[in-house]
Amino acid sequence: FCGMDIFWLSPQPYVPATRFETQSECPRICVDVLVRHKESGKMVRIYNVHLDHIESPAKAKGMKVVLDKIAEDQKKIPAEIILLGDFNEEPTGLAITYIKENTELKLVEATAEIPGTWHEFGNLNPGLKIDYIFVSDNVKVENSFANFTAMPVSVLFPTMN
């Protein structure tokens, strides 16, 4: 473990409980941790985000805050990136598009094979995907799966060469 940060998805990321005017009443955060991979010695930064569940503009703005933070962190301490969480956004949504079109960070979806993750607390809708894991384009993913009992999305990383 090398470090941790928590920031709000808002115009003032370091002012607790802040949010965008165009989002639900729920303030949203991102937690990031910096760790060193034991076997390879590589630095890995993991960002766990939970985007707004109602307003698409807030999801897009929140993701912009996250991507800007990742770019800023990469300038300080370059690391492999894992961006994951409940994005509350379908694959064609603007927040997902921002990630896929970001040529600076070059993140790829590690959960592309998983068709749906939304479950409304037990009633799986296999056609609706809102949970994702994105990784640096040079990180190898062994496989990905969703546990449809509790709905976590998982990815196995064989090594960090």
Side-chain angles (χ1 to χ4, degrees):
F1 179 77
C2 300
M4 181 184 143
D5 192 15
I6 299 172
F7 56 96
W8 275 259
L9 306 183
S10 78
Q12 299 100 11
Y14 291 99
V15 176
T18 54
R19 60 187 181 83
F20 291 105
E21 287 182 25
T22 58
Q23 81 180 57
S24 68
E25 62 186 39
C26 305
R28 301 296 180 158
I29 64 168
C30 181
V31 176
D32 82 79
V33 295
L34 180 64
V35 296
R36 183 177 307 276
H37 187 259
K38 259 185 173 178
E39 294 164 8
S40 70
K42 286 189 174 188
M43 299 302 286
V44 180
R45 192 178 297 272
I46 304 164
Y47 296 84
N48 185 0
V49 66
H50 189 178
L51 296 178
D52 194 61
H53 66 295
I54 296 176
E55 297 293 333
S56 286
K59 295 172 197 178
K61 289 176 183 177
M63 185 51 64
K64 177 120 176 49
V65 170
V66 172
L67 294 174
D68 288 348
K69 177 73 165 63
I70 293 172
E72 178 185 313
D73 290 344
Q74 287 295 90
K75 289 175 185 166
K76 295 175 188 171
I77 301 173
E80 304 296 346
I81 300 166
I82 301 173
L83 169 61
L84 58 94
D86 181 348
F87 291 32
N88 280 312
E89 185 84 299
E90 293 186 54
T92 56
L94 194 52
I96 304 304
T97 301
Y98 281 171
I99 299 167
K100 291 180 177 180
E101 292 181 353
N102 188 309
T103 57
E104 181 183 351
L105 298 176
K106 298 177 185 167
L107 300 175
V108 295
E109 186 184 347
T111 51
E113 301 296 319
I114 298 173
T117 61
W118 186 72
H119 61 88
E120 196 170 340
F121 304 101
N123 301 312
L124 178 63
N125 181 345
L128 185 58
K129 183 174 187 173
I130 62 171
D131 305 290
Y132 301 85
I133 299 174
F134 288 89
V135 298
S136 298
D137 66 350
N138 60 331
V139 172
K140 292 188 173 130
V141 174
E142 191 169 288
N143 66 11
S144 61
F145 57 92
N147 174 341
F148 294 111
T149 305
M151 292 314 301
V153 177
S154 304
V155 174
L156 298 176
F157 299 96
T159 60
M160 288 275 189
N161 296 335

